Amino acid sequence: MKTIKLVIADDHELFRNGLNELLKRHDDIEVIQCVSDGEELIKFIKSNPETDIVLLDISMPNMDGFGALNKLKSINTNVKPIIISMHDEGNYIAKCAKMGAYSYLLKNTDQEELVKVVRIVSGGKKYFSPNISEKMIDYMSDNTVSKDILSKKETEVLTLISKGNTTKEIAAQLYVSSRTIETHRANILKKLNVKNTAELIIKAVNMKLI
Amino acid sequence: MKTIKLVIADDHELFRNGLNELLKRHDDIEVIQCVSDGEELIKFIKSNPETDIVLLDISMPNMDGFGALNKLKSINTNVKPIIISMHDEGNYIAKCAKMGAYSYLLKNTDQEELVKVVRIVSGGKKYFSPNISEKMIDYMSDNTVSKDILSKKETEVLTLISKGNTTKEIAAQLYVSSRTIETHRANILKKLNVKNTAELIIKAVNMKLI
DNA sequence: TTTTATATCCGTATAAATACGGATTTTTGA
DNA sequence: TCAAAAATCCGTATTTATACGGATATAAAA
């Protein structure tokens, strides 16, 4: 039987080692490497392109999971990334799916599920559990509003808002009328479907717009 | 030799199991229970007050680590809590230390360190690693922040602001006058040294107050 | 116990943001 | 190239937020 060659990429040593221990008990899975950031992962995969699976955390130093997913596509490898994250936000999931992840697991997934998914993915099939898919769908459909990403100017205005500038101050900095900025603000609120500055900032932070 | 009776409290199953596996290899440590939230933990400790150590995550559903620390003090037990968190922010660390934690480890701690700390704490000694202490000290001495912590009410108001509520709406929800909320808002702005809602939210997010 | 911090409330004013409902020019993408 | 989106501007009105400068009762801390 061919064993599944697997790499773990997570910046938390205890989590890495824990996963390692769990997977070690399965004869068909071989953890061939543990790395703690995206750069290490890419370096390893470049010299070990025959790797089957990488269990990939999103938040890591140097190069995060998103960056790693991106890089992997430009490398000559068949490695299939499985995201293991604690975030169940739709935008994360959707982003990963779009960037080529084969699965998306939460860190509270049970062991059986993890092993099951590793086996499914090693066979070349993508697998997203129903609850994960649901989050993604929700996000996608909510996109009718938030997919109209902000225009360049709007993004600029949003950034200045987030730095505590008032409409008047922003107008002065951008050499336009306050009315213009007021309109931009109104349009930003509308596009992000929020009703005031507080909600706006929260949403923008969540969407990584700031 | 008396074994160290240990409980793991973390909402991520993979992490719980991984820790369990790691600790299992040490004869002097016995993982007697794994729980996934603070309520379960308290329930277990109440009926097993002879537990020596609890490895306690901060972010958990139902009752988080802070709540659990708080509860533990009012229970007749000698259990010594060791926080295992991914957050290395000074305010988290300081808060835990103040609430009776015996140690504070990051999730990227290595196994040897973990086991070492478990043994030290089981002997009744508190242990905070140099890098953790440093963060805490930094936080303590940064009086611009630490001295201006928000009061309970203010925190409540801040949370409601961050959810997009207006002053009037908050007043209605808390059964007080709008004037009161206005004062709270003013005090919050002053304490966090910001001048409007946008800056406030940004700062609060950065400080993990939201 | 005495001081300090907290939570509550009030008035007066101004500044800022939001909600309507338009319009024109420039840029850009299909 | 031509339609659509973006960026610019305007008026009127209302609602919110911020800035002063107070006050009192209670709880917590020193």
Side-chain angles (χ1 to χ4, degrees), chain B residues 8-56:
Chain B
I8 298 171
D10 192 297
D11 58 328
H12 297 122
E13 168 146 356
L14 286 174
F15 188 74
R16 272 202 311 274
N17 291 337
L19 267 185
N20 197 350
E21 291 293 329
L22 294 179
L23 294 170
K24 196 178 277 180
R25 299 189 306 206
H26 299 273
D27 294 342
D28 57 336
I29 299 172
E30 185 193 358
V31 178
I32 58 173
Q33 181 75 332
C34 290
V35 298
S36 61
D37 67 53
E39 283 182 6
E40 279 183 58
L41 173 67
I42 298 301
K43 207 186 320 177
F44 179 82
I45 296 296
K46 271 183 178 160
S47 50
N48 299 270
E50 80 288 0
T51 304
D52 294 305
I53 303 253
V54 54
L55 298 182
L56 183 57

Side-chain angles (χ1 to χ4, degrees), chain B residues 153-154 156-157 160 166-185:
Chain B
K153 247 311 120 60
E154 285 162 349
E156 212 177 345
V157 171
L160 290 169
T166 66
T167 294
K168 204 183 286 180
E169 288 164 352
I170 296 170
Q173 284 175 63
L174 300 186
Y175 304 103
V176 297
S177 146
S178 294
R179 306 290 185 152
T180 303
I181 303 302
E182 282 167 21
T183 305
H184 286 319
R185 286 188 88 123

